[in-house]
Amino acid sequence: MRRAAASVVGMMFKDVTVARKSADQIAKMRAAGRVVAEMHAELREAIRPGVTTRQLDLVARDVIERRGATSNFLGYHGYPAVICTSPNDMIVHGIPGDYRLKEGDIISVDCGAIIEGWHGDAAFTAGVGEISDTARRLLEVTEQSLYAAIEAMVDGNRIGDIGHAVQSVAEAAGFSVVREYVGHAIGTAMHEKPEVPNYGDPGTGRRLRSGNVFAVEPMINVGGPETRVLDDHWSVVTADGSLSAHFEHTIAVTDDGPEILTLP
Ligand code: MF3
Ligand code: CO
């Protein structure tokens, strides 16, 4: 999600108590997460040279329908699809359309679903056929940065520990972390407060508590961190044209440690 303006953060996000979901509520989020994971599995199968991003959207719509879920993306501020498809230097929020995947591309796919009012949200980036060594490393490092963040999601840690984990992994590899877009708490809405930046200092920010659920979503660029929005008012690309990857899971903080809810 887009980061709120600093003034808004100061005014509204300061004293937010992060909602703590019950075991029953987390079970519903797990059900939504399972639909999202199924979208991922079918989309990974569908990704190959020659396929259009519109066809990928149709694959995702089919899963949502089959599982009796609804889409949290479709109609969100007028968004026209159930997934976001963002190739190569596109970071996030690409609208599915006539773009045809070709050998050597990377494609970021962001998916969401609602079951009984509870939301799941997760993203992955995949290679199309053979990809460059740099692209492969970008995908590996971005996914690793997400898993490092998940390990930090234990009761008593803080929001800054999540961002610090992402940033450490990404920057150690020589890549950069996007700042203008961030993760978020999630529950009966896709975007709940607070924001979860992919950068930060350890031991800072709000404390994580059992029952908190967050969508953590590192967006990592090969070049600089700066972003630009295209004329369609949705597609976010790297300002320098470098490749970008995006991995996301919805994760619950529990007494037994982090639980990834967007798994099969
Ligand atoms: N999952 C995306 C995010 O957290 C939301 C996509 S909303 C859509 O930023 F409208 F672009 F689909
Ligand atoms: Co998200």
Side-chain angles (χ1 to χ4, degrees), residues 20 27 38 40 64 86 99 106 112 115 122 146 152 162 172 214 219 226 258 263:
R20 299 174 72 163
E38 193 170 340
H40 281 201
I64 287 179
S86 308
Y99 184 81
I106 60 171
I115 291 277
L146 172 58
I162 297 175
F214 300 100
M219 288 149 268
E226 298 81 12
L263 287 179

Side-chain angles (χ1 to χ4, degrees), residues 168-210:
S168 302
V169 171
E171 292 181 354
F175 298 141
S176 65
V177 173
V178 170
R179 310 292 174 122
E180 283 96 359
Y181 298 83
V182 294
H184 47 94
I186 179 169
T188 53
M190 176 162 54
H191 295 147
E192 297 184 347
K193 288 170 268 188
E195 302 187 344
V196 183
N198 294 301
Y199 53 90
D201 295 318
T204 64
R206 195 172 308 285
R207 239 180 236 289
L208 309 179
R209 285 301 180 209
S210 202

Side-chain angles (χ1 to χ4, degrees), residues 3-222:
R3 199 183 58 195
S7 57
V8 177
V9 175
M11 276 164 19
M12 303 176 58
F13 286 58
K14 216 165 168 182
D15 296 313
V16 166
T17 318
V18 189
R20 299 174 72 163
K21 280 84 176 174
S22 70
D24 283 355
Q25 293 170 332
I26 288 175
K28 288 179 181 166
M29 296 192 73
R30 198 180 291 118
R34 201 172 292 130
V35 175
V36 175
E38 193 170 340
M39 294 164 81
H40 281 201
E42 296 209 3
L43 288 163
R44 280 186 179 278
E45 287 290 315
I47 288 171
R48 57 192 142 70
V51 169
T52 67
T53 51
R54 182 177 287 108
Q55 286 174 291
L56 297 180
D57 190 62
L58 291 175
V59 169
R61 283 178 197 247
D62 192 61
V63 175
I64 287 179
E65 201 164 304
R66 200 185 321 134
R67 292 299 172 214
T70 53
S71 174
N72 35 15
F73 287 22
L74 186 66
Y76 180 84
H77 293 279
Y79 189 76
V82 303
I83 60 174
C84 301
T85 50
S86 308
N88 299 323
D89 64 335
M90 199 174 285
I91 302 168
V92 284
H93 300 170
I95 302 172
D98 295 327
Y99 184 81
R100 205 173 279 283
L101 301 182
K102 60 181 191 304
E103 179 91 18
D105 279 353
I106 60 171
I107 177 86
S108 298
V109 183
D110 195 346
C111 300
I114 309 172
I115 291 277
E116 291 182 46
W118 292 87
H119 290 242
D121 184 8
F124 67 93
T125 305
V128 182
E130 279 296 306
I131 60 174
S132 70
D133 289 347
T134 301
R136 191 171 319 107
R137 206 164 61 86
L138 176 68
L139 268 50
E140 284 167 8
V141 167
T142 306
E143 189 166 26
Q144 278 167 13
S145 76
L146 172 58
Y147 280 90
I150 292 170
E151 276 182 39
M153 296 177 67
V154 296
D155 186 290
N157 274 4
R158 293 176 182 272
I159 291 282
D161 295 316
I162 297 175
H164 180 72
V166 171
Q167 186 178 11
S168 302
V169 171
E171 292 181 354
F175 298 141
S176 65
V177 173
V178 170
R179 310 292 174 122
E180 283 96 359
Y181 298 83
V182 294
H184 47 94
I186 179 169
T188 53
M190 176 162 54
H191 295 147
E192 297 184 347
K193 288 170 268 188
E195 302 187 344
V196 183
N198 294 301
Y199 53 90
D201 295 318
T204 64
R206 195 172 308 285
R207 239 180 236 289
L208 309 179
R209 285 301 180 209
S210 202
N212 293 163
V213 184
F214 300 100
V216 178
E217 49 181 318
M219 288 149 268
I220 306 299
N221 300 346
V222 167

